[in-house]
Amino acid sequence: MVEMAAPLREAWYYALPGHKLRPGRMLARIMLGEPLLIGRDRLGAVFALRDICPHRGMKLSAGAFDGREIECCYHGWRFDRDGRCTAIPSLVEGQAFDLARIAVASYPAREVQGNVWVFFGSDPSAAPDIPVLDGFAESAAPRLVETMRFGAAIDHAVIGLMDPAHGPFVHSAWWWRSRRSIHEKEKAFAPSPWGFTMSRHAPSSNSRAYRLLGGAPETEIAFRLPSVRIEEIRAGRYRVTNLTALTPIDDTTTEINHCIYWTAPWLSALKPVLRPYVRAFLRQDRDIMERQQQGLRFDPVLSLIDDSDTQARWYYRLKQEYRRARAEQRPFDNPVKPRTLRWRS
Ligand code: FES
Ligand SMILES: [Fe+2]
């Protein structure tokens, strides 16, 4: 029996921005509590293997990678990028040993729009696909990526991210908004692939930062399983898209990668100014979630209320339905129905 709070399997998770992995390099990561070696071969393709040598358990990432094969640092066993064993140096001429008996588990890995994603499960074909951002080429890369770790389990990190009511309390800052700016909001939601979307609307007038874009900005926010949020802001002919992906590192740690794409060339000039704002924002979320842990330790019963916590409820329902659909080998039936939500924030 799978624990409800466990991260969803049969899903792609954000591993890292592609620029952090140059050809011929590999690095070690923990994702969903599993040790991973993520590499980029000399042709530029990314791959992921279980970071454990099947001989005596050494971390393979502690060895060497020549862009084609990984050599374990303990006894020199070699593996190709698919995890097949290609050499065991201790074997003597004439010792018949079938190398095909030895393999390292490999994970499907893909690079899409400048980000590396890794699949956890057995069948990616029936899983939510890796998001492809509208209006940006397949080869596009985020102009800015901010990575941060939260000391919170995945569910609380996801809910904390989509929670519309914490803004005035957690994100109050002179440059953004004050607590007194709290006011009523009404937003239309509809089911969308593997999740739901807050339909296109003009952002609240208290979101002063958006005015930098010029024109009348409109934004659309989509959430999709397992833990991805896409916020698309359009103003005039410009487009800014925020891709926020949460990755469970282990039961108590979640990594957030906030990737910003834009088409307005002049926005690049603002990058040094933009980065501290993004960091400050994420830190506020991180700090509040970490303080929340002190209460969650006692496993309290929570009270998710309408309408401000409806998205959190949808998240739990989506997760449960996805699990059931996969277990019963039937198509996913999105449990979200079109609805207008109202709250004060
Ligand atoms: S532990 Fe890897 S080769 Fe022996
Ligand atoms: Fe927040």
Side-chain angles (χ1 to χ4, degrees):
M1 171 86 194
V2 195
E3 213 224 310
M4 281 303 295
L8 218 46
R9 298 196 60 93
E10 300 300 326
W12 291 94
Y13 285 96
Y14 188 104
L16 71 159
H19 72 259
K20 292 207 175 149
L21 199 55
R22 290 200 301 278
R25 303 298 283 269
M26 60 175 172
L27 42 86
R29 307 281 288 176
I30 303 284
M31 291 172 70
L32 284 80
E34 298 177 25
L36 257 70
L37 174 164
I38 303 176
R40 189 191 290 284
D41 66 21
R42 54 173 72 162
L43 298 175
V46 294
F47 63 93
L49 299 174
R50 182 168 160 82
D51 191 13
I52 303 283
C53 180
H55 179 216
R56 296 256 308 282
M58 175 59 66
K59 275 174 75 90
L60 285 171
S61 58
F65 178 44
D66 61 7
R68 274 199 3 213
E69 290 182 344
I70 294 134
E71 184 183 84
C72 179
C73 64
Y74 206 168
H75 313 91
W77 290 23
R78 295 179 71 85
F79 302 90
D80 68 14
R81 44 151 295 158
D82 297 314
R84 286 182 292 247
C85 183
T86 57
I88 296 182
S90 64
L91 288 177
V92 170
E93 190 73 36
Q95 273 175 342
F97 183 84
D98 183 10
L99 293 183
R101 279 170 47 198
I102 307 286
V104 181
S106 85
Y107 295 74
R110 274 184 62 202
E111 190 167 20
V112 176
Q113 292 183 323
N115 298 307
V116 179
W117 301 76
V118 174
F119 185 78
F120 287 77
S122 53
D123 179 15
S125 69
D129 23 71
I130 299 170
V132 178
L133 307 178
D134 264 6
F136 296 91
E138 175 92 30
S139 59
R143 309 263 190 157
L144 193 148
V145 183
E146 211 38 66
T147 306
M148 206 174 276
R149 289 204 171 180
F150 296 164
I154 184 72
D155 286 353
H156 287 288
V158 170
I159 289 170
L161 190 73
M162 58 174 57
D163 168 15
H166 75 294
F169 301 92
V170 174
H171 297 299
S172 57
W174 62 267
W175 48 267
W176 183 252
R177 52 177 303 175
S178 78
R179 243 167 110 145
R180 268 171 303 154
S181 69
I182 194 163
H183 64 281
E184 190 170 320
K185 297 197 178 136
E186 184 176 304
K187 303 276 156 77
F189 287 81
S192 51
W194 312 103
F196 53 86
T197 296
M198 182 195 285
S199 318
R200 197 161 290 291
H201 63 278
S204 15
S205 51
N206 63 5
S207 309
R208 241 175 277 141
Y210 292 152
R211 284 195 211 149
L212 289 171
L213 280 170
E218 281 193 326
T219 145
E220 184 181 277
I221 302 174
F223 171 81
R224 63 149 75 197
L225 290 175
S227 40
V228 176
R229 176 186 191 267
I230 297 167
E231 179 180 22
E232 197 180 77
I233 304 153
R234 287 198 216 168
R237 57 204 170 89
Y238 298 124
R239 194 192 279 260
V240 176
T241 302
N242 293 302
L243 167 76
T244 313
L246 293 171
T247 304
I249 301 301
D250 56 31
D251 289 347
T252 55
T253 314
T254 298
E255 186 174 275
I256 185 166
N257 279 277
H258 187 79
C259 310
I260 313 183
Y261 296 72
W262 57 73
T263 56
W266 51 268
L267 252 179
S268 299
L270 292 178
K271 221 155 108 171
V273 192
L274 193 61
R275 194 182 284 281
Y277 285 115
V278 175
R279 290 192 77 84
F281 217 86
L282 294 179
R283 268 198 215 111
Q284 289 171 332
D285 282 321
R286 179 193 62 192
D287 294 349
I288 199 77
M289 283 185 212
E290 291 186 358
R291 263 187 278 158
Q292 180 193 20
Q293 291 308 308
Q294 298 166 13
L296 289 177
R297 256 190 320 139
F298 300 96
D299 207 13
V301 175
L302 310 178
S303 338
L304 298 181
I305 64 159
D306 274 331
D307 288 354
S308 56
D309 296 322
T310 300
Q311 294 177 75
R313 289 180 170 178
W314 285 343
Y315 165 68
Y316 281 122
R317 259 187 248 156
L318 285 159
K319 196 176 165 186
Q320 188 181 42
E321 162 57 16
Y322 183 61
R323 242 178 214 147
R324 285 192 183 146
R326 293 299 297 242
E328 294 163 17
Q329 298 184 331
R330 58 165 173 82
F332 173 77
D333 182 15
N334 194 323
V336 177
K337 302 284 168 267
R339 200 174 141 187
T340 295
L341 302 181
R342 296 171 60 211
W343 68 85
R344 279 167 52 80
S345 69

